[in-house]
Amino acid sequence: MKLRGITAAALAFALLGAAPLPTIYTAPAGSRPAGPPHASRPYDVILPNGRTASPVGKSIAVGKNALGVTVTPDGRYAVVTTGDERDGYTLAVVNASTMAVTDVYRADGDSFFLGLQALKDPAAPSRTLVLAAGGPSDKMYFFELDARGKLHQSSAPLAMPVAPDPRFANDKHAYPGSIALSSNHRVAYVVNNLANTVTAIDLRKRAMMHSAPVGYFPWGAAVAGHRLYVTDPGLMVYGTLPQPVPYPQFANVPFAPDSASALTSIPLSANGDVSGRGGISSTRMDVAPDGVKNVGGARPSAIAVSKDGRYAYVCMTNVDRVAIVSLLGIPRVVGGLQLRLFDKAPYGTQPDAIVRSPDGKRLYVALAGMDAVAVLDSTDPRKLHRLGLIPTGWYPSALAISPTGRYVYVANAKGNARSATLQRIDMHKLPLEKTTISALRYLRVPRRAAQNPIVPPLRSLQRSTVVKHVVFILQEDKTYDSVLGDLTDGQGHYYGVGDPSLVSFGASVTPNLHALAREFGLATNFYADAQRSQAGHQFATGGIATAYTEKMIDPNEDPEDYPRSGYLFNALARSSLSYRDYGELLQVSGYAAQSASDPADDLSPTSGLGGTYALNVPALGALSGHVDLNYPAWNLRIRDVRRAKEFIRDYTDLEQRNTVPDFTFIWLPNDRGGTGPGIPPLAEQVADGDRALGMIVDFLTHQPTWSSTAIFITPDDAQGGRDHVDEHRTYAIVVSPYAKRGYTGNAHLSTVSILKTEEELLGLAPLSLGDLLATDMSGFFSATPNLAPFSAIPVAAQTAAQPRPGSVQRTR
């Protein structure tokens, strides 16, 4: 009790209360670059977002994108599922004592997802059985783990049943994910994320029993007594439209309380099978999204059950909360515990995994958005208390605990930024007071805000006195060195922050980008928060990528991807500010790019969004009436120059009507690169993007509103090429009369730094922890304006593809 009191006091001191308004937050990195500061400690790293990962205990690299972890019944081994469609899928086996990898099973044409269970094989109790869910392969896999820590496929995989209703758009996929076990470990319950079902498997026979319907996009599962409980974080069921349409519906997501953001309870028969529809009930876990304050769902995800089986603990990932559900009689929410950074803090700690200690006295919750594990006192299962925090690697995504409860295992999806990691934490005499303070120190630095009329501090809710129009131009997939490694000062002298040997698309291909970087403010110690394009768009517009986005790695922008507070467009709407969108957040499920009649055409006006929509999935409701419906979104067969011309046409019309928006978002997607009929060589795609960039900035800097405009330019991620500093390093350029001319900023910044600065200029509140804690770009602005405009530079046609050093061309 004394330890609990000391730790609780330290935690309260560190977390209590939103700091007074004059206090701002920055990332701890300062001006240090991303990567490990000390070669001897490869798991202690400065992250791309400027935070620090310094995991407690012992860590080991296990591949890429770790999503699941399990520990064998004897505690000797841990198994981690890693990989994705880009890097390939593996199961890594780690000796729990030595923390050395003993085996890596590589899926040959198959795949793995987050579901893993290790148990004594009911068909042969002397053997260890490992169950692995296949996710995209729609299969369940069975392995034997031998005494040397080697995996062997023990029987043929089972194909999981697809959605039973052909009206569902996902009726061809099951996407098995989480796996729960019956109390006697003879039956496994597999959650089929896209089929909206759970399937029981007889583990002795390796045979399917029956499936039961659950809610939308089911995720986690746990058994208590004679019932199975499944979390349903989805918001809607996707249906096929009678015929494809040229535009999505811009609307708030429809909400069915029995199936959306719910907890499904399923009775189990005497042999452990799931029932049909009889006896299945649903518990509502969230209010319906209103599209204003609550834009995204609360996302009930991971679930654990108290030792006495009377309560369930559900991670409400999007609202930083663990909900307590009474399982006695009709399940109902009876309480919960907030895990926000401080009272009324913006959301973003993202509790996305939970495990209970064998004695039932503690719960461990992975906080993916804080790179920490929260330790909770569950001695009284009806009332949880925070005990402290434990630092982890980057983005903890799954948890397991040893049979004795001494060791907690954390699968960190991004690990040390180069590899996913498995982390072992020895809870015996762990100094929680010390680790709590460390976890917070690695996360943010509180500072006093200086008065700055150009860029008021975040949370002051004051607008800039001079910058009234903010424009964000999002490019695609570039490291700093791949395009600006050859940047000179105009007199042949390199800037000294790039490596010319790594340049793929230098000054001859991107002369406008080079000129803008040289003439205005250039961030050279700047990093992409995201590792994938889709997540990059989420960070750029919302300050955070939801756990659904990070784990599913889908290429779309669906309601399930929405963060709770939504995106910058929602914040602008809440503050009654005007905004205009050119191409962003329009790629919802069911979108298909159309063929262009002449992909080389850079003259004809554009018409439509570049594709058609085949499903009933709505686009963000806040975009209704704020989208240029003739500005194409994702379609590599439509030139960016045509997009630029459409932007200029539409923006000119807004100026003539005196309705220039406070905020403008412009997406130039073509320099992402891709291959296929009608798609030009990669270098020409990049050159096309540079022509468009030059046209747009030239236009904006020659308008009457130029004197009150700030333009931000950056790629969404850094997949496209190599970089000598860090593979996540990219660039950002600030173009404004108030931007410091010829300025090179060396502060550690990231994608979300731009969003935070946009919010400061426009007087908005932070959307998430991401933008609250990021370092802003106020240092790029000067109180003395320079109204000299920018003149676009012609870009020669590129006839041959230029390879990206060390990279692979991919579609989005």
Side-chain angles (χ1 to χ4, degrees):
M1 182 62 76
K2 181 179 179 181
L3 174 62
R4 173 181 163 184
I6 294 174
T7 307
L11 186 63
F13 175 79
L15 297 183
L16 272 183
L21 287 181
T23 300
I24 62 174
Y25 294 99
T26 61
S31 61
R32 292 177 294 173
H38 307 287
S40 61
R41 302 203 301 270
Y43 300 107
D44 292 355
V45 295
I46 304 298
L47 297 175
N49 56 23
R51 302 175 188 176
T52 300
S54 185
V56 167
K58 178 75 172 177
S59 295
I60 186 69
V62 290
K64 294 282 189 179
N65 194 38
L67 293 182
V69 62
T70 187
V71 177
T72 57
D74 58 10
R76 293 183 59 195
Y77 296 101
V79 184
V80 184
T81 174
T82 72
D84 49 42
E85 78 287 350
R86 182 180 70 176
D87 300 307
Y89 297 88
T90 67
L91 296 177
V93 183
V94 177
N95 184 303
S97 177
T98 64
M99 287 298 287
V101 175
T102 61
D103 192 23
V104 176
Y105 182 94
R106 300 189 183 278
D108 184 11
D110 288 325
S111 58
F112 301 120
F113 191 33
L114 52 86
L116 275 179
Q117 287 285 357
L119 64 153
K120 292 182 179 180
D121 191 342
S126 62
R127 297 199 300 253
T128 298
L129 174 65
V130 175
L131 307 175
S137 71
D138 296 326
K139 297 177 182 177
M140 270 293 300
Y141 300 90
F142 305 89
F143 297 92
E144 178 189 349
L145 181 65
D146 66 24
R148 298 177 300 124
K150 305 292 184 182
L151 285 170
H152 311 275
Q153 197 161 340
S154 65
S155 57
L158 286 178
M160 292 291 97
V162 299
D165 190 336
R167 294 173 297 175
F168 292 177
N170 51 11
D171 66 324
K172 296 179 175 62
H173 297 284
Y175 220 98
S178 296
I179 307 168
L181 297 175
S182 63
S183 57
N184 61 11
H185 286 192
R186 294 180 180 179
V187 180
Y189 305 101
V190 182
V191 176
N192 299 308
N193 180 256
L194 293 185
N196 294 342
T197 61
V198 61
T199 300
I201 297 177
D202 185 322
L203 294 179
R204 286 184 296 182
K205 298 179 180 178
R206 308 290 203 267
M208 280 190 292
M209 301 168 79
H210 290 92
S211 297
V214 293
Y216 300 152
F217 295 95
W219 196 261
V223 172
H226 300 291
R227 299 188 76 89
L228 173 69
Y229 298 90
V230 179
T231 59
D232 307 312
L235 296 178
M236 64 176 290
V237 62
Y238 296 1
T240 304
L241 296 173
Q243 62 183 19
V245 295
Y247 307 107
Q249 180 186 13
F250 295 95
N252 192 26
V253 60
F255 189 78
D258 291 338
S259 300
S261 295
L263 179 69
T264 298
S265 172
I266 305 169
L268 301 176
S269 62
N271 66 348
D273 199 1
V274 295
S275 71
R277 295 184 179 274
I280 297 178
S281 63
S282 176
T283 300
R284 186 170 182 171
M285 300 293 292
D286 190 23
V287 297
D290 57 19
V292 179
K293 182 179 179 181
N294 298 332
V295 179
R299 188 166 178 78
S301 55
I303 180 173
V305 174
S306 63
K307 187 175 182 180
D308 61 12
R310 296 184 176 185
Y311 298 92
Y313 307 109
V314 179
C315 289
M316 309 294 285
T317 305
N318 282 0
V319 294
D320 301 352
R321 179 178 175 84
V322 172
I324 304 174
V325 181
S326 172
L327 303 181
L328 300 177
I330 299 174
R332 65 195 187 282
V333 177
V334 295
L337 181 67
Q338 291 287 349
L339 294 175
R340 297 162 88 163
L341 182 61
F342 51 75
D343 184 40
K344 297 182 181 179
Y347 297 120
T349 64
Q350 294 184 302
D352 71 339
I354 188 168
V355 67
R356 172 181 56 80
S357 64
D359 62 9
K361 295 181 179 180
R362 283 188 172 183
L363 289 171
Y364 301 97
V365 182
L367 302 179
M370 277 186 68
D371 306 323
V373 167
V375 184
L376 310 182
D377 183 343
S378 57
T379 303
D380 181 347
R382 300 166 299 177
K383 295 182 180 179
L384 304 178
H385 301 280
R386 291 184 290 183
L387 292 178
L389 300 169
I390 306 172
T392 66
W394 191 13
Y395 208 86
S397 57
L399 298 173
I401 195 164
S402 65
T404 64
R406 176 169 177 172
Y407 297 102
V408 173
Y409 295 88
V410 186
N412 297 299
K414 304 180 185 182
N416 65 350
R418 289 170 172 77
S419 174
T421 60
L422 178 68
Q423 175 184 356
R424 185 194 67 193
I425 305 169
D426 187 350
M427 298 304 301
H428 183 59
K429 296 183 179 180
L430 185 76
L432 270 178
E433 180 180 355
K434 179 179 179 181
T435 61
T436 299
I437 294 172
S438 295
L440 294 167
R441 187 175 73 248
Y442 300 152
L443 184 68
R444 82 288 183 270
V445 175
R447 292 178 177 167
R448 302 290 294 182
Q451 295 299 317
N452 185 343
I454 307 298
V455 187
L458 191 67
R459 299 168 65 222
S460 71
L461 301 183
Q462 297 177 356
R463 289 194 65 171
S464 171
T465 58
V466 294
V467 176
K468 302 300 182 182
H469 305 285
V470 176
V471 179
F472 182 62
I473 302 176
L474 188 66
Q475 300 176 302
E476 286 284 323
D477 293 25
K478 299 292 181 295
T479 62
Y480 183 95
D481 280 343
S482 69
V483 284
L484 294 177
D486 63 347
L487 186 66
T488 65
D489 60 5
Q491 299 178 347
H493 300 112
Y494 285 107
Y495 269 43
V497 292
D499 184 341
S501 70
L502 299 179
V503 172
S504 297
F505 311 106
S508 64
V509 182
T510 56
N512 287 287
L513 183 71
H514 280 69
L516 290 166
R518 190 163 44 242
E519 293 180 25
F520 293 93
L522 171 65
T524 59
N525 193 17
F526 187 95
Y527 303 85
D529 282 282
Q531 297 172 309
R532 302 294 181 101
S533 287
Q534 201 271 345
H537 289 244
Q538 301 282 313
F539 280 109
T541 53
I544 197 172
T546 63
Y548 181 82
T549 298
E550 294 279 15
K551 292 188 175 184
M552 292 297 290
I553 318 176
D554 70 332
N556 301 315
E557 293 154 340
D558 299 326
E560 279 69 27
D561 292 286
Y562 297 172
R564 183 63 158 191
S565 299
Y567 303 101
L568 185 56
F569 303 112
N570 299 99
L572 291 160
R574 288 191 288 264
S575 295
S576 299
L577 297 181
S578 58
Y579 52 97
R580 190 72 166 162
D581 176 28
Y582 298 89
E584 180 62 357
L585 296 182
L586 302 176
Q587 193 180 354
V588 297
S589 287
Y591 172 82
Q594 291 178 311
S595 298
S597 57
D598 181 4
D601 177 17
D602 60 3
L603 297 175
S604 300
T606 57
S607 177
L609 296 177
T612 58
Y613 296 81
L615 304 181
N616 65 344
V617 184
L620 186 70
L623 292 178
S624 179
H626 298 272
V627 175
D628 180 353
L629 296 177
N630 286 317
Y631 186 96
W634 175 253
N635 189 330
L636 295 180
R637 292 176 175 83
I638 299 176
R639 292 292 184 114
D640 275 347
V641 166
R642 296 176 65 195
R643 291 182 173 89
K645 291 180 178 179
E646 168 57 23
F647 163 75
I648 292 171
R649 182 207 65 77
D650 185 72
Y651 203 85
T652 299
D653 182 62
L654 296 174
E655 286 185 318
Q656 292 173 348
R657 291 188 282 121
N658 197 29
T659 56
V660 173
D662 298 301
F663 176 76
T664 301
F665 191 110
I666 306 169
W667 183 28
L668 296 176
N670 271 19
D671 62 348
R672 172 67 171 85
T675 58
I679 296 178
L682 178 58
E684 175 57 21
Q685 293 175 70
V686 177
D688 174 49
D690 193 71
R691 292 185 200 103
L693 175 66
M695 291 171 61
I696 291 171
V697 178
D698 183 316
F699 168 77
L700 289 171
T701 60
H702 285 86
Q703 301 311 301
T705 52
W706 165 234
S707 61
S708 58
T709 296
I711 306 169
F712 297 89
I713 305 165
T714 195
D716 62 351
D717 64 58
Q719 294 182 80
R722 294 171 54 199
D723 191 273
H724 80 283
V725 175
D726 186 87
E727 64 182 15
H728 298 87
R729 189 173 73 128
T730 183
Y731 58 85
I733 301 172
V734 181
V735 179
S736 174
Y738 293 92
K740 295 177 181 177
R741 295 290 180 124
Y743 177 70
T744 302
N746 66 352
H748 187 126
L749 303 167
S750 70
T751 309
V752 179
S753 297
I754 295 179
L755 175 65
K756 181 172 186 172
T757 310
E758 292 167 342
E759 292 166 336
E760 292 171 331
L761 292 170
L762 295 168
L764 301 174
L767 281 163
S768 69
L769 276 190
D771 40 321
L772 175 73
L773 303 182
T775 300
D776 70 10
M777 303 182 74
S778 58
F780 283 73
F781 290 84
S782 167
T784 304
N786 181 340
L787 292 171
F790 174 79
S791 296
I793 301 172
V795 186
Q798 307 294 313
T799 58
Q802 297 189 21
R804 301 173 178 174
S807 71
V808 178
Q809 296 183 29
R810 306 181 186 93
T811 59
R812 190 168 187 260

